[in-house]
Amino acid sequence: MVNDIAIKVENLSKYYKLGVINNGTLFRDIQSWWARVRGKEDPHAKIGSNYDSTAEGFWALKDLNFEIKKGDRVGIIGHNGAGKSTLLKLLSQITIPTEGSIKINGKIASLLEVGTGFHPEMTGRENIYMNGAILGMKHDEIDKKVNDIIEFSEIGEHIDTPVKRYSSGMYVRLAFAVAAHLDSDILIADEVLAVGDAAFQKKALGKMNELSAGEGRTVLFVSHNMAQVKNLCNKGIVLEKGRVVKSGEIEECIQSYLSDSRNSDLTSYRVFDSDDSKAFQLLSVYVLDLYENNVSSFESQTEITIRLNCVSRKPLPGLYGWFGVQNESHDWVIVFDSTEQESSNEADLPKGKYTWDITIPKGVLKPGKYFFTANFTSKFNESGFNVDSPLECCTFTVVDTLTERGAKRGSITSVVPSMKLVEG
């Protein structure tokens, strides 16, 4: 293996039988595995069975080939069921491949599910030492790191309590602290970080950046939060139906994934192709919650913020934006333009990049799916009235689990969301 390669995957496939967990006994499972290792026929396979048969099972992954270099921060992107978690379990050696090979250069620390790798009857402190021992560390080596782990996890007063009494958030804090501080070369983190609160998510992402940039560790990160993926990762792998459909620079991978997601329930983030011919352009749109996380679903009793990142490539006088929100029937439920804001009349924008936040008040939208549309205009634009018209930019969903009358709440078309210039 080339020295700068941390992980090399060749012709990797994983097949699952529908409705069958295993062959019934550990001994029979070992026989089946040993037959595959030697390239022999499975002695317990049914006569005439075929892995491509949809009646028998399905390929969770099929013919994956990729390399990950040391120090890379790789985002594994894909819809639910694309094979992301299966891939991480194979890389973590929790399960074995049906076909193909995985070559790993270094020790792996995995954070896949809440509580994975912890013994429920042992205390948090005891689990730290157990995890260190699994990674091949000596007792005195763990001694040097245990205080840093406890401090980072922020659960010091509970560290000598059996972890079976921990909340899911406490599990995640300790599990991440252990994985991040013990001596591993590769850190694998699944959606489990979503369990933590916003402050800890930010802290954990910062630590992963530090591990990669400062210590040269390789990080594999799975999340549906595209803003987090973009902030953390420099490379990406896009999975679709168990196959790699895109790999390379993270922004290209995110754009590829989102371009195929516009008709799905995960379209709350969008990046537009740069067009230097436009004097003014909308570059990206995020739908954000109160903690500035990019999410696709909101409770009806929370504010919704739509963040617009734009660029003015030359001074553009008299610019204003027209914005609207449509429901699933494509009826307009909110329509307004920037001139309705007292502080946001027609703007004379110098050259530069700008960020605007549009905030929709809580309780305005009833449960359902919505489409956000933007259009930028200027009567002084040389090439015509419209400056940039991306039309439907993104979607989001409103739910109501907090009130009994939530489903009956109507949409308010006369509301004027607040709009402010965040930076520019």
Side-chain angles (χ1 to χ4, degrees), residues 97-153:
T98 305
E99 296 175 354
S101 65
I102 302 172
K103 297 178 182 178
I104 297 173
N105 186 8
K107 299 176 183 177
I108 290 182
S110 299
L111 189 62
L112 302 183
E113 297 176 5
V114 175
T116 299
F118 281 177
H119 192 295
E121 299 296 335
M122 297 171 64
T123 68
R125 190 185 303 274
E126 290 168 340
N127 272 289
I128 293 174
Y129 281 88
M130 182 183 71
N131 275 264
I134 291 172
L135 286 172
M137 296 177 64
K138 296 180 180 178
H139 196 281
D140 58 346
E141 292 176 324
I142 305 173
D143 283 340
K144 296 176 182 177
K145 297 178 178 286
V146 68
N147 289 334
D148 291 336
I149 293 172
I150 295 171
E151 181 180 356
F152 189 92
S153 68

Side-chain angles (χ1 to χ4, degrees), residues 163-182:
V163 298
K164 67 181 180 181
R165 299 197 180 106
Y166 285 10
S167 67
S168 59
M170 292 168 66
Y171 258 119
V172 168
R173 287 173 179 271
L174 183 58
F176 181 84
V178 169
H181 286 82
L182 295 183

